[in-house]
Amino acid sequence: MTFYTYNYLHATQHTWQYARVIVISILVVIFILFMLHYLRNKMDIKYKDLSVIIATLLLLILGMQYDDYSNIKSSSQQTGQMTTLVKEVAKRLDVQTDEVSVNATSQNQNLLVKTPKGYYRVDFNTDGSQFVLEKVDLHQANNIQVEDK
């Protein structure tokens, strides 16, 4: 079973989005450079062809970005909810947020929390706005891995 720390949840919340923005920005700069070079040298057709290729690639990536936007937004929101949950659990158990880990990156029915004070199961109410911590004992606690960035 894998548990994820607050640092891991917080770091992965933005990493992939920044990578996409960087790739799109680089492609836009390359496209502009090729177009400027082509406009200066009208006889050099290879820069026009390269500009068309880069523009097509840019449109493809922007299309994928738009398609994945709702998935990214939902994933980011769920990860944000998990970081809030970790903060709240740390506050209730009077431990540091760095010492709390959860077994999922999104809220689900079987959410476990690992703290220095033991393992807890999180029971949410019907709308997910409140929760109760229930102390549990794991039978195979030696198979636990903690992901931390």
Side-chain angles (χ1 to χ4, degrees):
M1 182 180 306
T2 304
F3 282 82
Y4 304 97
T5 64
Y6 174 79
N7 293 333
Y8 179 86
L9 293 170
H10 191 67
T12 57
Q13 186 173 359
H14 302 290
T15 305
W16 181 243
Q17 295 172 9
Y18 289 140
R20 285 184 177 200
V21 169
I22 289 171
V23 168
I24 290 171
S25 301
I26 289 171
L27 286 174
V28 166
V29 168
I30 291 172
F31 173 72
I32 290 171
L33 289 175
F34 282 148
M35 281 305 293
L36 287 175
H37 195 47
Y38 168 69
L39 292 175
R40 283 187 198 151
N41 306 320
K42 294 269 186 187
M43 300 306 260
D44 203 356
I45 301 296
K46 70 179 177 183
Y47 291 106
K48 178 183 175 186
D49 294 341
L50 287 172
S51 297
V52 169
I53 291 170
I54 296 296
T56 304
L57 185 61
L58 185 61
L59 288 174
L60 178 67
I61 290 175
L62 286 173
M64 290 187 318
Q65 176 72 15
Y66 180 75
D67 186 44
D68 290 343
Y69 177 72
S70 62
N71 293 337
I72 290 170
K73 185 176 177 182
S74 173
S75 172
S76 178
Q77 185 178 30
Q78 288 177 351
T79 304
Q81 290 172 348
M82 291 304 291
T83 56
T84 304
L85 174 72
V86 168
K87 287 180 187 178
E88 184 63 31
V89 168
K91 183 178 167 184
R92 286 188 186 184
L93 295 176
D94 196 28
V95 295
Q96 297 291 325
T97 55
D98 297 340
E99 298 174 332
V100 178
S101 0
V102 291
N103 71 332
T105 57
S106 63
Q107 288 184 359
N108 59 25
Q109 296 297 326
N110 299 318
L111 192 62
L112 294 176
V113 177
K114 178 183 181 288
T115 67
K117 295 183 177 184
Y119 295 92
Y120 293 87
R121 184 170 64 93
V122 180
D123 278 334
F124 290 98
N125 64 351
T126 54
D127 65 353
S129 62
Q130 298 291 323
F131 65 91
V132 175
L133 293 174
E134 179 182 359
K135 189 164 176 84
V136 295
D137 292 322
L138 296 182
H139 293 288
Q140 296 178 352
N142 56 354
N143 295 8
I144 304 242
Q145 298 174 348
V146 177
E147 292 287 329
D148 189 16
K149 274 195 169 181

